Amino acid sequence: MTNTNPTTSPSLKTYTQLCWAMMKTGILGYGGGPSIIPLIRYEAVTKHRWLADEEFGEILALANALPGPIATKLAAYLGYRLKGSLGAILSVLAHILPSSIAMLSLLSAVNYLSHSVIVRGMISAVAPVIAVMLGVMAYEFGERAVKGLGRKLGIVMLLASFALLQLLGVHPAIVIVLFLAYGAMHFKLLGRLQRTKSTHNSGQK
């Protein structure tokens, strides 16, 4: 009869890693959902390898199209992906509870902290770090888009998304749905175009 130590159980280890990873992203994620995305990506893709980078990008796009905070949606998906419904519940709780408790604890000191020179200095110091993290992630996703779609079409799609979001002010959810619809048809359209081109070339010969 084998004696199994529950502390070394792979299942328990996964729960522990998942909760600890989500706690860290909830505590360290400054500035709301967008700033937390690189932290969740690091834990899920780079550190623990729970998801492939491509899957994370797809889930991020889908989560952006759904209502609600992006970080909690990613936490719920990650927990469900690893450990089903219980994993999703624990993942979301681990993500939101530490910051919720901290926020409730600091409510009595809000007026003081809002005028504190130290706090303003901390906010100013951390802002460039968040900007760099988001920039690096955006560059990597853009590079992957160019590789997947081809250089010319990838650049066109990047410029089109920038124009829709920044110049025309289209809602991000609408832009994501439009690009998802095109992505679903991309390879079919590409195959049809190549067949037409080869037929045209063979006809000329």
Side-chain angles (χ1 to χ4, degrees):
M1 183 177 179
T2 26
N3 183 18
T4 13
N5 185 353
T7 58
T8 58
S9 164
S11 181
L12 182 61
K13 184 180 179 183
T14 304
Y15 279 120
T16 306
Q17 290 176 336
L18 177 65
C19 290
W20 177 235
M22 291 302 101
M23 282 179 67
K24 284 190 290 183
T25 59
I27 293 169
L28 299 175
Y30 166 81
S35 66
I36 300 174
I37 293 169
L39 299 176
I40 295 179
R41 177 173 172 262
Y42 172 78
E43 294 289 338
V45 178
T46 307
K47 185 175 180 181
H48 296 291
R49 301 186 184 277
W50 290 324
L51 301 176
D53 211 10
E54 290 76 12
E55 184 180 359
F56 183 84
E58 291 167 3
I59 297 306
L60 178 61
L62 289 172
N64 266 313
L66 298 174
I70 182 68
T72 50
K73 287 180 284 187
L74 289 175
Y77 174 81
L78 188 58
Y80 186 81
R81 173 80 161 68
L82 294 174
K83 288 296 177 184
S85 300
L86 179 59
I89 293 169
L90 289 176
S91 182
V92 171
L93 288 176
H95 180 72
I96 64 174
L97 276 180
S99 54
S100 300
I101 294 169
M103 183 177 66
L104 292 172
S105 304
L106 292 171
L107 277 176
S108 58
V110 163
N111 288 332
Y112 170 75
L113 290 174
S114 63
H115 298 93
S116 168
V117 178
I118 296 173
V119 171
R120 275 186 291 176
M122 291 167 62
I123 292 171
S124 301
V126 80
V129 178
I130 301 301
V132 170
M133 290 170 64
L134 288 171
V136 169
M137 189 180 71
Y139 173 78
E140 289 178 354
F141 280 138
E143 189 179 32
R144 190 170 297 109
V146 168
K147 285 181 181 177
L149 297 170
R151 184 178 296 275
K152 291 181 181 177
L153 184 57
I155 292 172
V156 167
M157 298 291 272
L158 287 171
L159 292 174
S161 62
F162 179 82
L164 289 170
L165 291 168
Q166 297 298 321
L167 303 180
L168 300 178
V170 180
H171 194 280
I174 298 173
V175 176
I176 289 168
V177 169
L178 288 173
F179 277 69
L180 284 173
Y182 174 79
M185 300 182 296
H186 170 72
F187 289 107
K188 288 184 180 179
L189 292 172
L190 193 62
R192 189 178 299 174
L193 184 64
Q194 287 174 345
R195 284 195 298 272
T196 307
K197 190 176 179 181
S198 62
T199 308
H200 179 70
N201 290 339
S202 59
Q204 284 183 336
K205 291 177 183 178

